[in-house]
Amino acid sequence: MMETSKQLHPGLWDTINERYPGSMITKDDYVPLAKLGKPVAESRLAFVSSAGVQPKGTLPFDVAHPVGDYNFRRVPSSSEPSELEIHQLKYPTVGANRDRNVILPIERLQELAREGVIGGLTPNFYSFIGYNMDPERLERTLAEEIAEAVADDGTEIALLAPA
Amino acid sequence: MSLKYLKDAVAAGDTEKLIRYVRLHLGDGNEEAGRREIDNAWVEALKPLLDVPPTDREFIHETLSTKDHATLAHLFFDLHFYLVKRSGEWIHDGNL
């Protein structure tokens, strides 16, 4: 397949399609990384993760649905790791269950904010599960909704991390 | 597999592509594991009924009578994972 984005690892889709035939997703619109408006030490940071981490007591992500779950959860950035849990079938969660920071480095980011390395944290981080078979729905709903929420939180840096 | 791939398979009546997707989904990308998981779920569904214990037939009847087709299909997938988890043979990397 022709690589259409410099942001993708070469050959990534070929590997995916060996395991899941027909899952080819083409993206022709190259989206350049945004430049920082001000120094990191003065910027509020939001963390967006596909790890399926969520506050305890919230409705678990739907890992059974064959086409995926297109909802996200707000994770208060002041959370203690013990207040969070993971609902996700498709990656090994053993390490992350021992230490949430392995997959969602919430304590490390809190430390960086306290030390002034980053300007601060947005009130919420954002989490969803990455097993979604409808990329158009994901882009049209989930991605748009997270982007709006991130912007509404006054985010100046958004750190995106796949599980 | 993308949703378009699956919808094209439905339109073409290509059930082999559809069941292969189900096996891959239930087997975390391993088709043979998914096949075993389906068998495992049915065995786990059968075992508790062999002694014919009382069950909540009214709940089942009401659920099947009142809930829409998509909700019941969704429940079917949830029941699969519920049953394989009860079997104690959990092949998945993560948690429900």
Side-chain angles (χ1 to χ4, degrees), chain A residues 29 39 46 78 104 110 115 122 127-128 132 137-138 143 147 159 163:
Chain A
D29 50 335
S78 58
L104 189 137
Q110 289 166 350
E115 293 164 5
T122 52
S127 176
F128 61 102
N132 293 305
R137 179 187 295 272
L138 188 148
L159 193 55

Side-chain angles (χ1 to χ4, degrees), chain A residues 19 62 66 87-88 90 133, chain B residues 1 21 25 28 74 95-96:
Chain A
R19 195 168 178 189
D62 186 357
H87 293 280
Q88 170 62 286
K90 305 298 185 185
M133 291 296 106
Chain B
M1 295 176 186
Y21 172 67
H25 174 46
D28 283 351
H74 193 165
N95 310 299
L96 288 173

Side-chain angles (χ1 to χ4, degrees), chain A residues 137-155:
Chain A
R137 179 187 295 272
L138 188 148
E139 189 171 359
R140 194 176 63 245
T141 61
L142 181 59
E144 284 284 338
E145 288 166 8
I146 290 178
E148 276 185 27
V150 165
D152 288 346
D153 256 358
T155 303

Side-chain angles (χ1 to χ4, degrees), chain B residues 29-86:
Chain B
N30 182 323
E31 190 174 359
E32 191 49 43
R35 198 190 302 268
R36 287 195 299 272
E37 287 286 279
I38 293 169
D39 289 350
N40 190 12
W42 279 108
V43 169
E44 287 302 311
L46 175 64
K47 286 196 301 195
L49 298 176
L50 293 179
D51 292 332
V52 199
T55 56
D56 193 342
R57 268 293 283 153
E58 287 184 9
F59 163 76
I60 295 169
H61 179 73
E62 184 183 344
T63 302
L64 294 178
S65 303
T66 59
K67 298 299 179 184
D68 63 273
H69 181 59
T71 298
L72 293 172
H74 193 165
L75 176 63
F76 191 71
F77 277 93
D78 270 293
L79 284 172
H80 166 87
F81 286 107
Y82 165 82
L83 289 165
V84 295
K85 189 163 192 180
R86 275 191 69 93

Side-chain angles (χ1 to χ4, degrees), chain A residues 19-23 62 64-66 87-93 97 131 133-134, chain B residues 1-3 5 20-21 24-25 28-29 74 77-78 81 90 92-96:
Chain A
R19 195 168 178 189
Y20 290 108
S23 64
D62 186 357
H65 198 292
H87 293 280
Q88 170 62 286
L89 283 181
K90 305 298 185 185
Y91 73 86
T93 53
N97 281 329
Y131 184 77
M133 291 296 106
D134 187 352
Chain B
M1 295 176 186
S2 69
L3 188 63
Y5 179 89
R20 180 156 186 253
Y21 172 67
L24 287 166
H25 174 46
D28 283 351
H74 193 165
F77 277 93
D78 270 293
F81 286 107
W90 189 246
H92 304 283
D93 290 328
N95 310 299
L96 288 173

Side-chain angles (χ1 to χ4, degrees), chain A residues 7-154:
Chain A
Q7 293 171 327
L8 297 179
H9 189 279
L12 174 64
W13 295 131
D14 294 336
T15 303
I16 291 171
N17 280 295
E18 279 176 15
R19 195 168 178 189
Y20 290 108
S23 64
M24 187 79 75
I25 302 165
T26 56
K27 289 290 289 177
D28 297 324
D29 50 335
Y30 173 67
V31 181
L33 295 174
K35 291 184 178 174
L36 278 178
K38 53 185 177 179
V40 172
E42 298 172 18
S43 301
R44 267 190 310 274
L45 182 140
F47 193 81
V48 182
S49 166
S50 64
V53 177
Q54 57 186 104
K56 285 180 179 172
T58 55
L59 184 66
F61 283 114
D62 186 357
V63 296
H65 198 292
V67 184
D69 185 341
Y70 299 83
N71 296 286
F72 70 91
R73 302 283 182 277
R74 286 181 171 82
V75 178
S77 63
S78 58
S79 300
E80 300 282 335
S82 62
E83 297 172 322
L84 307 174
E85 59 189 7
I86 302 172
H87 293 280
Q88 170 62 286
L89 283 181
K90 305 298 185 185
Y91 73 86
T93 53
V94 175
N97 281 329
R98 243 181 269 143
D99 181 359
R100 294 279 180 273
N101 293 287
V102 168
I103 200 76
L104 189 137
I106 194 162
E107 287 179 303
R108 301 293 85 80
L109 292 170
Q110 289 166 350
E111 288 167 5
L112 290 174
R114 276 197 301 273
E115 293 164 5
V117 177
I118 51 181
L121 303 175
T122 52
N124 298 295
F125 292 160
Y126 298 89
S127 176
F128 61 102
I129 58 173
Y131 184 77
N132 293 305
M133 291 296 106
D134 187 352
E136 289 175 5
R137 179 187 295 272
L138 188 148
E139 189 171 359
R140 194 176 63 245
T141 61
L142 181 59
E144 284 284 338
E145 288 166 8
I146 290 178
E148 276 185 27
V150 165
D152 288 346
D153 256 358

